[in-house]
Amino acid sequence: MEFSNQQKLIVTLLTDIHARLGIDNGIDPLFVQRMVRDDHGWALGWAYPGLFGDGVEVPEAVTFVAEVLGMWDAIEEAYAGFDGVRREQLARLAPAFGRDPRFRGFDGNHEADLRGIVQILVNNLGRWPIFKGRDTDSHRILADSYRRMLKVYERFSGTGCASGLSVEALAEILNAEIIPKSGMELDADVLLRA
């Protein structure tokens, strides 16, 4: 949902009036104002689905970030359920990222739009509460790594076993974060022989 400058002005004035009058009708006027001002109209559809029905188009970047958050939620949940033996096994199978895998966010300089979407989804809309209050500035560009990981993760989530990822599945997902050399895919066996 996009707004013209005139519509932004009208929304700003109306939400100011709404806030000043202290109207309590389940709509947060300052949130509405901020989302309209910052061109995140999609968030209004997520926050107030009854008002918009299916009429709010979700940008591709929002869908991507939501998929990344869902994947990392499953990764962290699986890792939290591992005992010491399985954690050590994961560290061997995924030596680069297998020790305490955690969602690091997106780069604050080069992926600020994606990082902003994380903030809206987690902190404003209350989705994926596991990430609430976490610093999501990774200080390095990670979107391409997450895309590679999502391709692997989709194989497991499509089978319904994403909520109980095995050590081997988790290692395969985490190893996809590594930038492949010469376009070759890396798997756990290659990393173990290196």
Side-chain angles (χ1 to χ4, degrees), residues 131-143:
F131 305 122
K132 188 167 181 76
R134 198 180 287 188
D135 180 11
T136 59
D137 187 352
S138 62
H139 301 288
R140 56 185 273 232
I141 298 171
L142 291 173

Side-chain angles (χ1 to χ4, degrees), residues 64-93:
F64 169 66
V65 170
E67 289 172 352
V68 167
L69 290 172
M71 173 184 69
W72 274 105
D73 187 22
I75 289 170
E76 290 190 22
E77 181 182 330
Y79 185 77
F82 287 172
D83 59 17
V85 172
R86 289 191 292 173
R87 287 183 180 196
E88 282 304 314
Q89 184 183 6
L90 179 64
R92 283 192 310 276
L93 293 174

Side-chain angles (χ1 to χ4, degrees), residues 10-181:
I10 291 168
V11 168
T12 299
L13 294 171
L14 289 174
T15 52
D16 280 346
I17 293 168
H18 188 279
R20 180 88 166 160
L21 292 175
I23 299 170
D24 186 12
N25 63 351
I27 294 177
D28 180 349
L30 299 180
F31 171 74
V32 170
Q33 189 177 96
R34 198 171 66 251
M35 294 304 105
V36 170
R37 180 193 65 218
D38 295 342
D39 294 319
H40 292 294
W42 61 269
L44 299 176
W46 285 51
Y48 309 111
L51 294 177
F52 301 100
D54 295 333
V56 178
E57 185 176 327
V58 178
E60 187 176 312
V62 175
T63 302
F64 169 66
V65 170
E67 289 172 352
V68 167
L69 290 172
M71 173 184 69
W72 274 105
D73 187 22
I75 289 170
E76 290 190 22
E77 181 182 330
Y79 185 77
F82 287 172
D83 59 17
V85 172
R86 289 191 292 173
R87 287 183 180 196
E88 282 304 314
Q89 184 183 6
L90 179 64
R92 283 192 310 276
L93 293 174
F97 301 107
R99 295 195 184 280
D100 193 28
R102 292 176 54 84
F103 174 62
R104 295 184 309 279
F106 292 93
D107 184 65
N109 294 320
H110 300 96
E111 298 170 328
D113 55 334
L114 300 174
R115 185 171 178 246
I117 293 168
V118 170
Q119 296 303 312
I120 292 168
L121 289 171
V122 173
N123 297 324
N124 297 123
L125 297 175
R127 310 288 173 100
W128 295 281
I130 187 174
F131 305 122
K132 188 167 181 76
R134 198 180 287 188
D135 180 11
T136 59
D137 187 352
S138 62
H139 301 288
R140 56 185 273 232
I141 298 171
L142 291 173
D144 286 340
S145 293
Y146 293 155
R147 283 185 183 91
R148 287 191 302 275
M149 292 173 72
L150 279 168
K151 284 183 182 177
V152 177
Y153 174 73
E154 287 170 358
R155 290 198 337 254
F156 299 105
S157 64
T159 61
C161 54
S163 60
L165 292 168
S166 67
V167 171
E168 294 79 11
L170 193 51
E172 193 174 339
I173 294 165
L174 293 172
N175 285 332
E177 189 172 352
I178 298 170
I179 299 170
K181 294 181 182 179

